[in-house]
Amino acid sequence: MTNTPPWSLRRLHEVNEAQINELADVLIDCVEGDASVSFMHPLPRDRAQAFWRGVAEGVATGERALLVAEDGQGICGTVQLVLAQPENQPHRADLAKMLVHRRRRRQGLGEALMRAAESMARDCGKTLLVLDTVTGDNGERLYQRLGWQRVGVIPGYALLPRGGLVGTTVFYRELA
């Protein structure tokens, strides 16, 4: 007997308004939960929606690849690859905005999203991924556990959602 996760993963090739609203919910939840994901608390809904509309444009033009996880309540997680890179880096993508709604944390969804993102990157012809994360956060431990290589720490890189500087750790992963 296999354990079926309570979510499903899929790549979105276009993003509609309903999905933008659900993605905004996930982003707002992460910021409310003090995740340092480029936004300050409180994050207004219109600002979260504007961010996801920009991502949707990148998905439509092929500059980004977007994965979502969905459960019975809707989108509960997401990760994206920034595929558009300088012409001397066509083999590389940036892994960005790996977000898991608090209702689905500590259930293996982060790992599932990361593994799916790596597979999606291979499908897109990428052989190198790069990401940054809050130093000392759960994400840092996850990436190390999954075999990502730690490059180093940049101290005082960003503000936490409610204020206070935090460092960021840079990672890379070579894909087979």
Side-chain angles (χ1 to χ4, degrees), residues 49-61:
Q49 291 167 324
F51 169 77
W52 286 110
R53 285 188 185 101
V55 171
E57 289 174 17
V59 169
T61 62

Side-chain angles (χ1 to χ4, degrees), residues 33 51 71 76 86 104 107 109 126-127 132 151 166 174:
F51 169 77
D71 64 11
C76 58
R104 286 292 176 207
Q107 299 174 32
L109 180 53
K126 303 301 179 179
T127 58
D132 65 83
V151 175
V166 67
E174 292 179 300

Side-chain angles (χ1 to χ4, degrees), residues 37-156:
V37 291
S38 304
F39 296 94
M40 300 303 289
H41 184 272
L43 175 58
R45 173 164 285 285
D46 61 334
R47 213 144 164 246
Q49 291 167 324
F51 169 77
W52 286 110
R53 285 188 185 101
V55 171
E57 289 174 17
V59 169
T61 62
E63 294 176 354
R64 289 181 183 259
L66 179 65
L67 278 172
V68 296
E70 297 166 295
D71 64 11
Q73 298 177 51
I75 295 176
C76 58
T78 184
V79 66
Q80 50 189 293
L81 296 175
V82 180
L83 302 171
Q85 299 295 331
E87 67 182 67
N88 69 337
Q89 299 169 43
H91 61 290
R92 182 176 77 75
D94 291 341
L95 191 138
K97 295 292 181 280
M98 207 274 284
L99 306 171
V100 175
H101 194 285
R102 286 179 288 179
R103 75 176 182 261
R104 286 292 176 207
R105 291 206 185 141
R106 302 221 176 267
Q107 299 174 32
L109 180 53
E111 180 175 342
L113 283 165
M114 289 300 293
R115 292 193 187 285
E118 290 173 10
S119 177
M120 182 172 65
R122 285 185 200 92
D123 292 346
C124 292
K126 303 301 179 179
T127 58
L128 179 68
L129 293 177
V130 177
L131 67 79
D132 65 83
T133 190
V134 172
T135 302
D137 200 16
N138 291 334
E140 182 178 19
R141 289 184 290 280
L142 171 65
Y143 306 138
Q144 287 179 316
R145 186 168 50 80
L146 294 178
W148 284 67
Q149 299 301 306
R150 184 177 185 267
V151 175
V153 174
I154 304 170

Side-chain angles (χ1 to χ4, degrees), residues 1-28:
M1 184 172 169
T2 61
N3 288 340
T4 303
W7 62 77
S8 60
L9 301 176
R10 68 182 171 121
R11 180 176 177 182
L12 298 182
H13 293 278
E14 58 183 33
V15 187
N16 63 38
E17 268 310 298
Q19 292 162 329
I20 285 170
N21 285 322
E22 290 183 35
L23 287 161
D25 289 340
V26 173
L27 179 57
I28 290 167

